[in-house]
Amino acid sequence: MRWALAWVAASLVVMVPAAQAADRSDGSVPAPAQISQLVTSVPASTLNQVGAGDSRNPITSPDFGISKRDGHFTSGGKPEVVSVDLAWCPHCAANSWALAVALSRFGTLTGLGEINTGTHFCKVAEDPCNLNPLSCFPYTHGLSFLGAGYSSRYISFASIVLQDVNGRNLQKPTRREERSLTTVHLQGASPALDVASAWGFNGSGYDPGALAHKTWSQIAGSLANPHNRIARQVDGLANLFTAAICTATKGRPGNVCKLRGVKAAAATVLRKYPSQPPPPPPS
């Protein structure tokens, strides 16, 4: 059996056996209509007020990374966005809220699930062989894209859930997806977001601890309030994901890509990304 490295959050590396996709649940349950509605209809006025918000800056954060390339990964003639997650990963759960908000600005997202990450990550983080233990954020509530539907004139979307909440293998990228993920240095990474081989994000865009002890209803219900602590992190990250997608769609649709909040996120991160990233520090 061959093994693939899965980068989880900041510096924890977990060995994940690469196996054929299994036809079984990730441990999620269908999201109630009210949750889906709240997540997929965050007001543009709120997102504009939040701007870059309080999400992590991937240029400077040790826990959230960014890469840029000149790829053009497409599906059906449209730029493809690929997310890679582990159902038990609280950092994936944190990003899932922002990704759902961002995707909904370009199309219609249906069939979302609710995921409770449980405690498997705690077992991994507390492994005595792990030399850099992390906070484990048990029972973080997020969204699952496994089996979700997405329709858009502008982009395609593919969700890859590597493992279920108990650490059992579920899916793996196709060869095309693997090549695209490699282009933006995301092969084996989770959580990871590949925006058409043009932009890559890895790690969590904000601290999963922000969601501690919050229900799905509480999280979803907070997103429309630009002064809410969770909204300023989730919506700020959503604006960054939106700005990255807008570069792949060449600024379409204009009624999204020209919004003040999207431009603010682009100005804070994407436009400041160095054309030639600095070399890694000497070992």
Side-chain angles (χ1 to χ4, degrees), residues 15-241:
M15 299 300 292
V16 177
Q20 295 295 326
D23 185 16
R24 57 186 179 186
S25 170
D26 60 349
S28 63
V29 297
Q34 182 183 17
I35 301 295
S36 296
Q37 175 66 20
L38 289 169
V39 172
T40 60
S41 59
V42 176
S45 59
T46 297
L47 291 158
N48 283 337
Q49 279 189 262
V50 170
D54 297 331
S55 60
R56 290 167 171 163
N57 187 322
I59 297 176
T60 58
S61 173
D63 302 316
F64 185 41
I66 185 172
S67 59
K68 180 182 179 181
R69 288 295 181 268
D70 295 321
H72 303 281
F73 185 56
T74 63
S75 178
K78 296 177 288 188
E80 182 156 61
V81 176
V82 179
S83 70
V84 183
D85 301 292
L86 297 153
W88 50 266
C89 164
H91 307 82
C92 305
N95 284 6
S96 68
W97 296 97
L99 180 57
V101 173
L103 290 173
S104 298
R105 306 174 86 175
F106 296 88
T108 302
L109 185 61
T110 58
L112 284 171
E114 292 180 339
I115 193 77
N116 180 334
T117 62
T119 61
H120 185 74
F121 181 74
C122 295
K123 298 175 184 177
V124 174
E126 295 170 2
D127 188 324
C129 295
N130 173 29
L131 300 181
N132 190 12
L134 303 171
S135 300
C136 71
F137 312 108
Y139 307 110
T140 301
H141 291 169
L143 300 172
S144 170
F145 300 98
L146 185 71
Y150 188 65
S151 174
S152 169
R153 293 172 53 193
Y154 308 101
I155 59 174
S156 299
F157 173 61
S159 169
I160 303 164
V161 182
L162 298 176
Q163 293 185 346
D164 68 10
V165 292
N166 296 310
R168 292 187 292 256
N169 293 332
L170 282 181
Q171 300 176 313
K172 69 174 185 177
T174 65
R175 289 185 178 180
R176 290 186 67 250
E177 290 166 343
E178 283 184 344
R179 286 196 295 270
S180 181
L181 290 164
T182 300
T183 299
V184 285
H185 304 297
L186 294 178
Q187 188 176 28
S190 181
L193 186 69
D194 174 5
V195 181
S197 289
W199 292 98
F201 299 93
N202 68 85
S204 54
Y206 61 95
D207 189 338
L211 307 180
H213 311 299
K214 300 295 183 182
T215 67
W216 292 277
S217 294
Q218 288 173 323
I219 298 169
S222 72
L223 301 182
N225 179 357
H227 306 293
N228 181 277
R229 175 171 171 257
I230 291 176
R232 290 193 56 77
Q233 296 178 86
V234 172
D235 293 346
L237 183 58
N239 276 331
L240 175 57
F241 288 162

